[in-house]
Amino acid sequence: MIKTLWTLGVFSGLSAAGIVACSDTDKPVLTALADSRLALLNKEIEPKAKKTEEPAAGTSEDTKGAAEGDVKVVDDKPAFDLERAMTKGKEAYLICSACHQATGAGIPGAFPPIAKSNWVNSLSNDEFSKLILNGLQGEVEVNGTKYHGVMTPQKAIMDDQKIADVITYVKNSWGNEGGHVTVEEVKAARDATADQGMMKQEDFTTLK
């Protein structure tokens, strides 16, 4: 009887109702057979688990991300503090204002303007830094007007931070186009022109 039930019941989907309809003597056997069949069916339809590859020992998440093309670049360089530079630059500019005036307008026929100035708006940060550090002499043309005079070098008067601040202040004042100079840029310019004398207009390759 058990064999017949195994063939006709378990492998053809023996139901709970079918087990209940059997005799009390056969129920434990049939229940065990049904449980066995159910476990077998569950095993057949269970989806295969995806194999998860763990990173090798010592492999960081950043390295794993880089290998997968998801590279995260962390910029730990502090943001430039323009507000601080403008405040300090305005203070340092007092030295410059005797010639270029508080308004940046200069003095006609004597000292050129730095407001809306082609020098301020075209010189690279490197050359602007060298201009303040080493001074200027000879004929210069500013906004289409020629001037003859001397601009005093500031390398022995201002440190790198003050020069960076004053250039940033000038770049962002009186209708100029903006921008900023860092202390690192000024230091590099100072090192590159340690033996430089006063400069002339022709020394500035970025001037427009």
Side-chain angles (χ1 to χ4, degrees):
M1 179 179 178
I2 294 174
K3 182 176 181 181
T4 302
L5 288 172
W6 176 272
T7 303
L8 298 178
V10 176
F11 281 100
S12 61
L14 183 63
S15 67
I19 295 174
V20 172
C22 296
S23 66
D24 292 339
T25 304
D26 295 329
K27 282 181 181 180
V29 176
L30 295 177
T31 300
L33 291 174
D35 290 343
S36 176
R37 176 56 180 162
L38 181 60
L40 181 61
L41 290 174
N42 287 336
K43 186 175 181 181
E44 290 175 351
I45 64 174
E46 181 181 0
K48 293 183 179 179
K50 293 183 179 179
K51 184 178 180 182
T52 303
E53 294 184 1
E54 296 294 333
T59 302
S60 67
E61 288 299 319
D62 289 342
T63 304
K64 180 182 177 183
E68 296 173 352
D70 183 18
V71 181
K72 293 182 179 180
V73 179
V74 178
D75 185 5
D76 57 359
K77 187 176 181 180
F80 186 84
D81 189 344
L82 181 60
E83 183 177 356
R84 184 211 62 80
M86 290 295 287
T87 299
K88 294 297 184 181
K90 185 175 183 178
E91 294 173 2
Y93 180 74
L94 288 174
I95 297 175
C96 314
S97 64
C99 297
H100 297 294
Q101 304 298 293
T103 60
I107 299 176
F111 302 105
I114 53 177
K116 297 181 180 179
S117 165
N118 65 304
W119 282 66
V120 172
N121 293 316
S122 67
L123 285 180
S124 66
N125 287 355
D126 177 63
E127 290 195 338
F128 206 152
S129 300
K130 290 174 180 176
L131 169 64
I132 305 301
L133 285 164
N134 302 300
L136 184 65
Q137 65 181 350
E139 182 180 89
V140 297
E141 185 174 330
V142 180
N143 292 350
T145 301
K146 292 183 179 180
Y147 295 84
H148 297 268
V150 173
M151 176 179 166
T152 305
Q154 298 298 311
K155 65 171 56 177
I157 301 172
M158 293 186 183
D159 62 22
D160 296 341
Q161 186 65 69
K162 282 188 176 181
I163 291 176
D165 291 342
V166 76
I167 294 176
T168 298
Y169 173 72
V170 170
K171 279 179 167 288
N172 290 277
S173 302
W174 316 305
N176 290 317
E177 296 174 3
H180 69 267
V181 175
T182 66
V183 66
E184 291 81 9
E185 289 175 308
V186 178
K187 183 181 185 306
R190 185 188 291 272
D191 292 344
T193 58
D195 300 323
Q196 172 78 45
M198 296 184 71
M199 305 184 77
K200 296 182 179 181
Q201 179 166 321
E202 54 264 31
D203 294 327
F204 300 96
T205 61
T206 60
L207 179 64
K208 296 179 182 178

